[in-house]
Amino acid sequence: AKVLSEYADIIMLRTSSHKNLEEFGKYLNIPIINGLSDQSHPCQVLTDLFSFEEAKGSISGKSVAWLGDGNNNMSNSLIEAAGKFDFKLKIGCPNKYKPNKKIMTWAKKNKANVLVTDNPAEAVKDVDCVMTDKWVSMNDKVNKKAKKKSLKKYQVNKKLMNLAKSSALFMHCLPVGRGEEVTDEVIDGKQSIVWTQALNRVHVQKSIINWCLN
């Protein structure tokens, strides 16, 4: 970290352990960007919010559904974003994969509008955006077959999308597990903006770098 502080103006770190990010950052004299950790994925969520606002206007007062694993880096960062950007987040997940107590304590303290339900229909009802992610994340040390089975009813399909607003967007941070967390019909459908999200990551990352430098 000390050597890299001499080499560079910014460090971006992607790591399986969030503790690595925190430990590394202690010894840097330059900004560090969390490119991804097992605990959070803030750059991706900023891109998602930007993509929503580019398409629909301010996300403040809107509602977003998250289906699948409620205790991964994306859902954690979405909970934080709900508190920062004033939108309602409805997480549909099995009880086994609910958000952890630490992030929910933060949500309550920061008055984040977060609903957690094991009913996928309740999660997507009348929302402005439906989001999901791969059911088995990188470095996810679980029984993959068992996890996928428990998340099966949280698949984003046309039936669930029809419960959201007719103008609702579908988002996915990619790469995608087609036929698992989402059907081809949804990800390739008119409500999907996943390819725009992929493009916007370039521009949002540049803006984060610009913010760090200034």
Side-chain angles (χ1 to χ4, degrees), residues 41-53:
H41 202 353
C43 292
Q44 178 63 52
V45 168
L46 282 173
T47 298
D48 297 341
L49 300 185
F50 175 82
S51 299
F52 181 94
E53 297 205 337

Side-chain angles (χ1 to χ4, degrees), residues 8-9 12 17 41-43 63 66 70 76 79 91 93 97-98 124 140 149 174 176 178 194 198-199:
D9 297 303
M12 174 178 268
S17 171
H41 202 353
C43 292
S63 54
W66 171 263
N76 286 343
I79 290 168
I91 297 174
C93 63
Y97 295 105
K98 288 196 301 188
V124 299
D140 201 348
K149 186 179 179 182
L174 305 181
V176 64
R178 288 177 178 268
V194 298
L199 166 64

Side-chain angles (χ1 to χ4, degrees), residues 13-101:
L13 185 62
R14 287 171 70 93
T15 175
S16 58
S17 171
H18 196 80
K19 289 179 181 177
N20 291 341
L21 194 77
E22 293 175 335
E23 183 73 10
F24 200 72
K26 284 180 188 176
Y27 302 99
L28 283 173
N29 298 319
I30 55 176
I32 184 168
I33 297 170
N34 175 1
L36 173 147
S37 76
D38 58 343
Q39 184 174 305
S40 60
H41 202 353
C43 292
Q44 178 63 52
V45 168
L46 282 173
T47 298
D48 297 341
L49 300 185
F50 175 82
S51 299
F52 181 94
E53 297 205 337
E54 186 179 54
K56 297 287 183 183
S58 175
I59 199 163
S60 177
K62 299 294 195 301
S63 54
V64 175
W66 171 263
L67 291 179
D69 188 345
N71 187 26
N72 70 5
N73 54 6
M74 280 293 296
S75 54
N76 286 343
S77 286
L78 275 171
I79 290 168
E80 292 174 341
K84 297 283 185 184
F85 295 96
D86 191 32
F87 62 88
K88 182 172 185 177
L89 177 64
K90 300 202 291 181
I91 297 174
C93 63
N95 289 325
K96 185 178 179 181
Y97 295 105
K98 288 196 301 188
N100 65 63
K101 288 181 181 179

Side-chain angles (χ1 to χ4, degrees), residues 143-156:
N143 182 321
K144 294 179 183 180
K145 192 174 180 181
K147 185 176 184 181
K148 287 178 180 181
K149 186 179 179 182
S150 67
L151 291 170
K152 199 170 182 181
K153 74 173 184 176
Y154 301 91
Q155 180 194 70
V156 183

